[in-house]
Amino acid sequence: MVKKEIAVKYTERGFAQDAEQAMRGDVIRGLIELITNCDDAYGVKSGAIRILVTRPSDAKDFVELAVSDSAKGLTPDEMEKAFTFLGAELSGFAEGESVRGLFGRGSKDTAWFGRTVFEAIKNGVLTVIVLNRDGKGTMEYLDATANDYLRLGLKHGENGLTARMQVSPQRARVPDLAKLTERLSRHVQLRQLNSKNEVRIAEVKQGVLNKQAQIVWELPTSE
């Protein structure tokens, strides 16, 4: 008899299928994952969470939904563990920290819409991970420049993270700013988050800031 050890292999197709099931074609589900991750980064402290919707002039191009914080940022090693491992207990939940979950896969699932780019600065080092919808991607890190701080909405020397969910029009439709604001304001997963943090959303069309609003929790009218 021949005996050998085996392990379940997780394929690109499996990653895409699980991500599709998690997101269900709804960009709000992706935004919730990214927004609650920002809240986790602040922990018990309060802070600003910024959402920027960038719409292209060509309807065939990606619509980008960027979610940013000015919290703790992540080192290259922390970025790799957070965004390239599945099922790992990385958020501090298991250690009793005030976070919402295990940071195990939700943010990665947002790549199903097309691609998600994670950019973080911590202790002066910029780390960028590009994650494609098949679970593959790239990672690089280098010293942060003044332009990097500006792009991530940070003051020089601050730490923080921006996740850019790039939505293909073939995968999902991104509602207008009024509808996004309404749905986020009434989403049950944001009820405590909105009372602790300032959450603002803005929209850019053809390079021009079009509209902006604040996300304020509203009690749903239904049960």
Side-chain angles (χ1 to χ4, degrees), residues 30-39 48-53 64-69 117-119 152 160-165 184 199-200:
L31 279 174
I32 294 297
E33 290 292 348
L34 300 180
I35 293 168
T36 52
N37 281 346
C38 290
D39 184 51
I49 298 174
R50 305 173 300 280
I51 307 164
L52 181 63
V53 183
E64 184 178 90
L65 303 171
V67 181
S68 305
D69 66 58
V117 180
F118 302 96
E119 296 184 273
L152 272 60
L161 186 147
T162 292
R164 306 181 190 280
M165 184 170 67
L184 291 173
V199 185
R200 300 194 67 86

Side-chain angles (χ1 to χ4, degrees), residues 16-214:
Q17 287 177 331
D18 286 351
E20 179 178 12
Q21 184 177 15
M23 293 294 101
R24 301 178 190 173
D26 186 0
V27 296
I28 294 295
R29 296 177 72 89
L31 279 174
I32 294 297
E33 290 292 348
L34 300 180
I35 293 168
T36 52
N37 281 346
C38 290
D39 184 51
D40 285 352
Y42 282 118
V44 296
K45 298 179 180 179
S46 60
I49 298 174
R50 305 173 300 280
I51 307 164
L52 181 63
V53 183
T54 303
R55 298 185 187 273
S57 54
D58 188 342
K60 296 180 182 179
D61 289 341
F62 288 122
V63 176
E64 184 178 90
L65 303 171
V67 181
S68 305
D69 66 58
S70 306
K72 60 184 181 180
L74 294 172
T75 66
D77 183 59
E78 290 168 339
M79 285 280 280
E80 185 173 7
K81 289 179 180 178
F83 300 116
T84 65
F85 285 78
L86 287 172
E89 295 181 353
L90 301 169
S91 70
F93 179 84
E95 289 75 26
E97 294 182 19
S98 179
V99 296
R100 291 170 180 260
L102 298 180
F103 207 9
R105 76 162 295 140
S107 56
K108 305 173 191 64
D109 288 334
T110 63
W112 176 86
F113 292 106
R115 179 172 59 222
T116 299
V117 180
F118 302 96
E119 296 184 273
I121 293 178
K122 185 170 184 178
N123 301 330
V125 176
L126 168 72
T127 308
V128 181
I129 287 182
V130 179
L131 187 63
N132 299 312
R133 67 181 307 271
D134 60 2
K136 291 185 175 181
T138 60
M139 173 179 168
E140 61 178 331
Y141 57 92
L142 64 164
D143 290 340
T145 66
N147 285 336
D148 295 327
Y149 282 101
L150 182 64
R151 189 177 67 257
L152 272 60
L154 300 172
K155 297 177 183 177
H156 188 77
E158 275 189 323
N159 298 327
L161 186 147
T162 292
R164 306 181 190 280
M165 184 170 67
Q166 298 174 346
V167 181
S168 166
Q170 298 176 334
R171 295 291 165 195
R173 187 182 72 84
V174 178
D176 61 31
L177 191 71
K179 190 64 176 179
L180 285 172
T181 302
E182 177 188 358
R183 290 190 60 189
L184 291 173
S185 296
R186 296 181 180 180
H187 202 289
V188 66
Q189 284 185 263
L190 299 184
R191 64 193 184 279
Q192 294 176 326
L193 184 153
N194 283 339
S195 63
K196 181 168 75 75
N197 303 296
E198 181 185 60
V199 185
R200 300 194 67 86
I201 186 169
E203 181 180 71
V204 170
K205 285 186 177 180
Q206 299 181 356
V208 178
L209 182 63
N210 185 37
K211 298 177 182 177
Q212 50 186 325
Q214 186 167 354

